[in-house]
Amino acid sequence: MSRLSLFRISGWGLAALGVLALVGLFWTNLNFVETNPGGNDFLPRWVGARQFISEGISPYSQESTLAIQEAIYGRPAAEGQDQALFAYPFYTIILIYPFTLIDSFNVARAQWMTLAEIAIVAIALLGTRLANWKASRNTLVAFLLFALLWYHGAKPLVDGNLSVLVALLVTVALYALKTKQDGLAGMCLALSTIKPQMAIWIIPL
């Protein structure tokens, strides 16, 4: 058997292992969300976007807000409770559109968690490139586990916060600037403004 054939087999094998790993990760996340209610940072964006896409209702309307509150509390929010507004720029819908096609919130949340976990790993790996840090294999594995499990990694995963996606966009933008890919950097920075408080000081710099 030629080396090229072996390379193709190993390539297909790695692809199959990657798919199996993703399926396993999604299944684990789905089991977690079904036994641990939450995701209240993701739910308002998901419901608001679905309201607009399926029914043409503004995500900022009272009708959408009421639908979000019903999904969270099972009733309209009481005075003093979080009103659970959509509260993001309209173009946020572009980024979460694929998840709005899923009818089950638990499934959508599990898929979002899976994407967020991949994003955190990507942030950590790109961070090592930005810092020109060449870690040993064991050190790198420990670093990736820390990135996923420390408070600022685990909390957004459980809550479904879009900050993980924004952090990835900013990290990709910085790496793109380093590698002279200004167009990609600009696109990522523009999309990162779905959470202006995370990007507002980076863009002027």
Side-chain angles (χ1 to χ4, degrees):
M1 188 178 290
S2 68
R3 290 184 178 181
L4 182 59
S5 297
L6 285 171
F7 175 78
R8 286 174 178 169
I9 291 172
S10 63
W12 281 111
L14 287 174
L17 285 174
V19 170
L20 287 174
L22 284 176
V23 171
L25 182 59
F26 166 71
W27 185 255
T28 301
N29 289 334
L30 184 60
N31 287 329
F32 174 83
V33 302
E34 287 180 343
T35 55
N36 295 274
N40 287 353
D41 282 332
F42 181 61
L43 191 146
R45 268 48 76 182
W46 182 76
V47 172
R50 277 176 60 86
Q51 289 281 99
F52 175 76
I53 290 168
S54 62
E55 301 179 42
I57 300 171
S58 168
Y60 308 105
S61 67
Q62 185 60 39
E63 187 174 351
S64 284
T65 299
L66 182 59
I68 294 168
Q69 293 171 355
E70 290 281 355
I72 294 176
Y73 304 116
R75 53 169 174 75
E79 186 176 350
Q81 281 187 311
D82 182 1
Q83 297 300 298
L85 305 174
F86 184 81
Y88 272 60
F90 183 78
Y91 51 88
T92 303
I93 293 174
I94 297 172
L95 295 177
I96 65 171
Y97 172 75
F99 303 92
T100 66
L101 304 178
I102 303 167
D103 292 330
S104 167
F105 175 67
N106 279 347
V107 174
R109 182 187 169 202
Q111 290 193 346
W112 180 261
M113 283 185 69
T114 303
L115 175 64
E117 286 156 351
I118 294 169
I120 289 174
V121 171
I123 291 166
L125 291 175
L126 283 173
T128 63
R129 294 288 187 88
L130 285 167
N132 295 319
W133 178 40
K134 297 183 184 292
S136 67
R137 181 181 298 178
N138 290 340
T139 301
L140 184 60
V141 170
F143 177 61
L144 294 178
L145 288 174
F146 173 77
L148 286 165
L149 298 176
W150 77 314
Y151 177 83
H152 295 291
K155 185 71 161 62
L157 288 176
V158 174
D159 293 343
N161 200 299
L162 272 65
S163 59
V164 174
L165 184 58
V166 173
L168 176 62
L169 288 167
V170 170
T171 306
V172 171
L174 293 175
Y175 186 74
L177 286 172
K178 181 178 181 179
T179 55
K180 310 298 183 185
Q181 300 179 70
D182 292 352
L184 175 61
M187 181 182 70
C188 289
L189 285 175
L191 290 173
S192 73
T193 58
I194 61 171
K195 285 184 79 75
Q197 65 271 34
M198 290 182 65
I200 194 67
W201 301 114
I202 298 172
I203 292 174
L205 292 173

